[in-house]
């Protein structure tokens, strides 16, 4: 060793030869190696090996490389496809779809049901007749419920027949208009009160 | 400058400029194929892998962000593909590679009266010894040496590509070059350089 500083290890000499060192460290190592025969020989060995590696040559691409690559490249899609492929567009479309579904559900809910009949307006003549007729005590009726005519009392024979025939209880239209209190005698009604 | 050119090309490719992709291809085609030829040797496989890299670049053009150097990204994809191919045993498919005069039989059969023929055969043998020395390295060391020696990639970039620290990469390169120096010592000692 002919240099004042101690010899660096082989790895440091290798880093010097291959420019893998930081600038400050490189200057110091280079100074030593240039003045040390042993280190210089090591450095030369690495340089020779490096030069030998240059002899390994390879050729580049075959002439049909680009053509084959172009065949594998996905075709450029039209702008509309690319627009709808954007994430922001998809989010907007999803939000719009939800809005349409909600609005549709609301509208369907508001429409009249297929089973129900729209409220029929009384004919003009009937209305006029009612207007000219003497006013009876107005019964409180709601807008949707129709005033039902009072059931006519059946003759006694018919009433007996009716009770004899229990099947009448299945006549719901008749039962619907049956007023229990009107059937009771007045005294009993008073007692009931 | 070169980096800026790659970034500009990628920006244009992202906007759908097909010519910029061809320009990018022209810039990186040969180095990338040479990288794969040295990594896996088989020409067909090397070209397939290089095409795969360009395909991935093209498909990722929308997501690509210029955070890192383009070549670092490119070689990271390439190195991963090459290492996977070696791991899967695809790199062991030794096809006849016409570019480097594969096989003594082929060379011996060729009648070449030219004065440089013997010299060429000698060079071919030396080339094969060098190639075998590099190919016998562990895949990680092989990739590091090829990127450093033949692709001229900066060691800081190589560390990023291989996902190791800079000091770990320096040690990796040192071990690889030491192995190569020992294996190629007969050629160095012959004084043929």
């Amino acid at each position: 060793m002919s240099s004042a500083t101690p010899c660096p290890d082989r790895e440091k000499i290798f880093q010097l030869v291959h420019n893998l060192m930081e600038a400050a460290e490189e200057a110091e190592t280079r100074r030593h190696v240039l003045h040390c025969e042993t280190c210089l020989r090591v450095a030369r060995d690495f340089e020779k090996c490096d030069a030998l590696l240059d002899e390994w040559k390879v050729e580049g691409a075959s002439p049909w490389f680009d053509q084959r690559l172009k065949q594998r490249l996905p075709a450029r899609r039209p702008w509309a496809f690319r627009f709808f492929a954007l994430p922001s567009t998809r989010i907007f479309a999803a939000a719009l779809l939800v809005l349409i579904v909600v609005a549709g559900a609301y509208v369907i809910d508001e429409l009249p049901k297929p089973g129900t009949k729209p409220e029929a307006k009384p004919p003009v003549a009937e209305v006029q007749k009612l207007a000219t007729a003497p006013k009876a005590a107005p019964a409180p009726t709601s807008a949707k419920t129709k005033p039902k005519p009072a059931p006519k009392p059946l003759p006694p024979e018919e009433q007996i027949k009716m009770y004899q025939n229990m099947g009448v209880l299945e006549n719901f239209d008749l039962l619907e208009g049956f007023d229990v209190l009107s059937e009771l005698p007045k005294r009993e009604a008073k007692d009931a009160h | 400058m070169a980096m800026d050119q790659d970034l500009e090309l990628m920006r244009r490719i992202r906007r759908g400029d097909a010519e910029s992709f061809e320009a990018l291809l022209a810039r990186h085609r040969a180095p990338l194929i040479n990288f794969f030829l040295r990594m896996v040797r088989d020409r067909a496989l090397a070209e397939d892998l290089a095409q795969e890299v360009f395909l991935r670049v093209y498909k990722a053009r929308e997501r690509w962000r210029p955070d890192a150097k383009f070549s670092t990204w490119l070689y990271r994809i390439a190195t991963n593909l090459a290492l996977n191919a070696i791991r899967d045993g695809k790199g062991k498919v030794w096809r006849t590679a016409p570019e480097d005069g594969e096989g003594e039989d082929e060379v011996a059969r060729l009648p070449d009266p030219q004065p440089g023929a013997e010299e060429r055969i000698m060079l071919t043998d030396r080339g094969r010894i060098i190639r075998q020395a590099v190919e016998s390295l562990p895949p990680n060391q092989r990739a590091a040496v090829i990127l450093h020696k033949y692709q001229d990639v900066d060691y800081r970039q190589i560390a990023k590509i291989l996902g190791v620290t800079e000091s770990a990469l320096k040690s990796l390169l040192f071990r690889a070059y030491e192995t190569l120096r020992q294996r190629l010592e007969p050629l160095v000692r012959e004084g043929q350089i």
Side-chain angles (χ1 to χ4, degrees):
Chain A
M1 190 188 114
S2 59
S3 175
T5 53
C7 288
D9 58 21
R10 289 179 66 83
E11 190 168 346
K12 290 289 174 196
I13 299 170
F14 163 78
Q15 288 178 11
L16 177 75
V17 171
H18 287 280
N19 298 318
L20 303 176
M21 269 185 171
E22 298 300 326
E25 199 181 10
E26 187 186 336
E28 195 186 332
T29 313
R30 185 181 297 278
R31 209 177 303 122
H32 172 90
V33 168
L34 287 173
H35 296 97
C36 173
E37 282 181 27
T38 317
C39 293
L40 196 60
R41 203 178 306 125
V42 173
R44 291 268 154 79
D45 279 353
F46 280 122
E47 280 174 355
K48 281 176 187 172
C49 178
D50 191 48
L52 195 63
L53 290 173
D54 286 333
E55 289 186 33
W56 185 17
K57 305 279 186 207
V58 288
E59 275 182 22
S62 56
W64 49 86
F65 178 84
D66 285 11
Q67 208 178 342
R68 278 173 47 208
L69 177 63
K70 277 172 192 166
Q71 283 173 351
R72 287 179 72 185
L73 282 175
R76 188 130 183 96
R77 288 156 174 163
W79 71 267
F81 190 93
R82 279 181 277 134
F83 174 74
F84 287 110
L86 288 172
S88 54
T89 315
R90 286 181 183 179
I91 292 166
F92 178 74
L96 192 66
L97 187 71
V98 169
L99 194 69
I100 288 168
V101 167
V102 169
Y106 178 76
V107 168
I108 289 167
D109 193 47
E110 286 299 306
L111 282 172
K113 302 274 187 314
T116 57
K117 286 180 184 172
E119 211 170 300
K121 287 182 181 175
V124 180
E126 288 291 319
V127 173
Q128 283 172 346
K129 203 186 284 179
L130 282 170
T132 52
K135 283 187 180 177
T141 51
S142 67
K144 286 187 178 177
T145 54
K146 281 168 114 181
K148 288 175 183 172
K152 287 179 183 175
L154 292 168
E157 300 85 28
E158 289 293 319
Q159 281 186 22
I160 291 163
K161 276 184 188 172
M162 187 183 75
Y163 288 116
Q164 282 172 344
N165 185 12
M166 293 307 286
V168 78
L169 292 175
E170 291 171 11
N171 188 345
F172 295 107
D173 289 336
L174 185 68
L175 289 173
E176 199 179 14
F178 187 75
D179 189 354
V180 177
L181 292 175
S182 67
E183 294 296 315
L184 291 171
K186 281 184 181 176
R187 190 166 46 84
E188 283 177 22
K190 273 181 186 172
D191 289 346
H193 285 294
Chain B
M1 181 65 188
M3 189 178 101
D4 293 344
Q5 207 172 336
D6 284 335
L7 295 183
E8 187 51 39
L9 286 172
M10 276 306 285
R11 283 197 192 101
R12 285 188 202 162
I13 291 165
R14 209 159 48 174
R15 290 198 293 263
D17 183 2
E19 282 179 11
S20 294
F21 185 73
E22 281 178 22
L24 194 82
L25 188 64
R27 279 172 59 78
H28 295 283
R29 184 204 301 113
L32 206 60
I33 291 173
N34 287 348
F35 169 75
F36 281 119
L37 278 171
R38 288 191 169 103
M39 281 298 286
V40 299
R41 193 179 174 196
D42 177 34
R43 169 165 288 279
L45 178 61
E47 291 203 359
D48 276 353
L49 292 173
Q51 285 186 3
E52 186 61 33
V53 173
F54 285 116
L55 272 175
R56 288 188 186 193
V57 167
Y58 187 79
K59 283 178 184 169
R61 67 195 185 282
E62 308 276 356
R63 301 190 303 274
W64 179 77
R65 297 281 175 274
D67 303 329
K69 204 172 170 183
F70 175 78
S71 60
T72 308
W73 180 52
L74 189 81
Y75 278 112
R76 191 184 297 145
I77 300 171
T79 306
N80 287 340
L81 282 172
L83 293 177
N84 285 346
I86 292 167
R87 190 196 57 208
D88 297 345
K90 289 176 186 170
K92 287 175 186 168
V93 181
W94 300 82
R95 294 189 194 174
T96 304
E99 81 281 355
D100 57 1
E102 163 64 20
E104 283 177 339
D105 293 347
E106 277 185 24
V107 177
R109 265 189 276 118
L110 287 171
D112 194 346
Q114 300 295 320
E118 199 178 317
E119 195 182 332
R120 265 212 305 279
I121 291 168
M122 191 180 72
L123 276 171
T124 303
D125 285 344
R126 284 163 61 83
R128 192 169 57 240
I129 292 167
I130 295 162
R131 188 191 65 211
Q132 283 171 350
V134 177
E135 282 171 353
S136 66
L137 292 171
N140 247 23
Q141 288 186 20
R142 197 195 313 181
V145 168
I146 291 170
L147 287 167
H148 177 252
K149 172 67 191 163
Y150 298 104
Q151 305 303 125
D152 206 22
V153 181
D154 180 65
Y155 75 92
R156 295 175 191 89
Q157 256 186 285
I158 301 172
K160 284 181 189 167
I161 290 165
L162 295 177
V164 294
T165 60
E166 288 178 15
S167 59
L169 178 86
K170 286 176 186 176
S171 296
L172 189 82
L173 279 172
F174 172 66
R175 289 199 303 277
Y177 274 94
E178 271 288 77
T179 309
L180 288 175
R181 194 187 58 76
Q182 285 162 11
R183 287 186 184 159
L184 298 174
E185 203 173 9
L187 289 186
V188 176
R189 230 187 269 163
E190 277 173 21
Q192 291 172 345
I193 298 172

